[in-house]
Amino acid sequence: AAARAAAVYWDRGWREDAAAQLTDAAQRATEPAERAAYLAQYGRIAWERGDFAEALRYDEAALRLDGGQREALAGRARTLASLGRTAEARAAYGTALAGRPDPELLLELGELYEAAGDEERAAAQYELVRARVRQQAAAGVDGELVLGRLEADHGDAAEAVERLREEWRRQPGIAVADALGWALHRDGRDEEALTFATTATDSAKGGGVRKALYAYHRGAIELALDRPGVARRHLELALRTNPAFSPLWAPAAQEALSDLGDPPLTEAPADVRLQAAPVPPPTGPPPPAAAPPAPPQ
């Protein structure tokens, strides 16, 4: 029940509530594997909000309880990459992928290689993503979302749009809206791209999950549409949420902000340039000082 509640809070963007649910559940868990699963989920939340030291601490605690905890293995690899410990991250991805090559992790490892300039190994990982998605499809597992993301950034953007449009028709959701919007942008269709990016990030339109990658995608699309003000806001939000959310796209977000430069200084409208009303001097005796907090028991 706690995991389900945490998932609901997570999907609604209530990260602190999700973290509280998982922390309480981990403390109540009686089996090591159950406790490890909760700790790994908390580690993912810590990573999403850019707290890499805490994320690593929780993932490693989970692995001490259950050395095969797959989410913790993946989280540890992801966090090491965010910390710039690239060689350790590559080894950790290898451990996480051993025996069960997950397409999402294969894509992450490929982008880690690409960010380091190792195009050959990156391309090999991307081919493994395609092969693994085909294998899973034969077993009835839907991998169109990750395949669409792969094609948008590292393959055929037009094909990505087709795949993700079909995925949107089958099961519309925030992750698909983000991926489809980004694929449209990569295919040069920025006006339509923005409608999906807005769906993924705007709570009024059903989105609002605070995820750095989604904010970056929206900011990059707005920048392509020559909307520097809102683009700057979303690029800053991406890096404020998680300054190392991707080995490829976090540096791209930082570069885009640097190119934008400082926001222009604009004079406030006359109707908001109001003088504060004078504060009358206090009368009567001063209020009593607040009592100090009680010492811990």
Side-chain angles (χ1 to χ4, degrees):
R4 288 195 298 272
V8 170
Y9 292 148
W10 176 275
D11 289 341
R12 293 180 180 177
W14 302 344
R15 300 296 167 84
E16 298 306 321
D17 294 296
Q21 283 284 333
L22 292 171
T23 301
D24 291 345
Q27 291 173 348
R28 292 194 302 268
T30 57
E31 296 296 326
E34 181 187 13
R35 180 173 169 79
Y38 288 131
L39 293 174
Q41 290 178 60
Y42 187 93
R44 180 60 186 260
I45 290 175
W47 180 84
E48 289 279 2
R49 67 189 183 197
D51 192 341
F52 305 131
E54 185 171 9
L56 190 60
R57 183 165 64 89
Y58 273 83
D59 285 328
E60 291 183 340
L63 291 170
R64 285 194 293 272
L65 291 168
D66 179 0
Q69 218 296 323
R70 304 204 68 84
E71 188 170 347
L73 288 168
R76 183 173 183 273
R78 190 177 296 118
T79 301
L80 288 169
S82 294
L83 288 167
R85 294 160 60 176
T86 305
E88 293 175 80
R90 290 177 181 176
Y93 272 112
T95 301
L97 288 163
R100 188 180 171 185
D102 177 77
E104 181 79 20
L105 292 186
L106 289 167
L107 177 56
E108 289 180 17
L109 179 55
E111 292 187 339
L112 186 61
Y113 281 127
E114 185 172 339
D118 194 337
E119 299 288 343
E120 184 176 348
R121 287 186 177 178
Q125 289 298 314
Y126 299 150
E127 284 305 314
L128 287 174
V129 174
R130 295 182 178 98
R132 183 58 176 164
V133 169
R134 286 195 297 269
Q135 290 174 353
Q136 291 184 335
V141 178
D142 181 5
E144 288 299 300
L145 177 57
V146 67
L147 190 56
R149 288 177 49 214
L150 168 70
E151 294 299 340
D153 283 327
H154 313 290
D156 186 334
E159 178 185 336
V161 170
E162 290 182 15
R163 288 182 177 278
L164 291 167
R165 278 199 198 281
E166 182 59 31
E167 188 74 0
W168 178 256
R169 282 191 288 270
R170 284 198 305 267
Q171 45 185 6
I174 300 305
V176 181
D178 168 73
L180 177 53
W182 186 244
L184 286 161
H185 164 69
R186 299 286 285 183
D187 198 38
R189 292 182 262 179
D190 290 315
E191 289 288 353
E192 187 181 5
L194 186 57
T195 64
F196 285 98
T198 301
T199 296
T201 54
D202 189 342
S203 58
K205 296 182 180 294
V209 174
R210 190 166 182 176
K211 192 175 179 71
L213 183 64
Y214 297 177
Y216 165 68
H217 284 166
R218 181 170 176 177
I221 293 166
E222 289 164 336
L223 192 58
L225 289 168
D226 196 24
R227 302 179 185 181
V230 288
R232 180 184 287 106
R233 185 164 69 247
H234 288 113
L235 293 170
E236 288 175 344
L237 175 61
L239 293 170
R240 191 165 60 247
T241 301
N242 183 337
F245 63 88
S246 161
L248 283 180
W249 305 118
Q254 187 60 63
E255 182 179 357
L257 278 174
S258 297
D259 290 344
L260 280 170
D262 294 330
L265 296 176
T266 55
E267 187 178 17
D271 60 350
V272 299
R273 295 198 304 270
L274 304 177
Q275 296 293 325
V279 179
T283 59
Q297 300 297 319

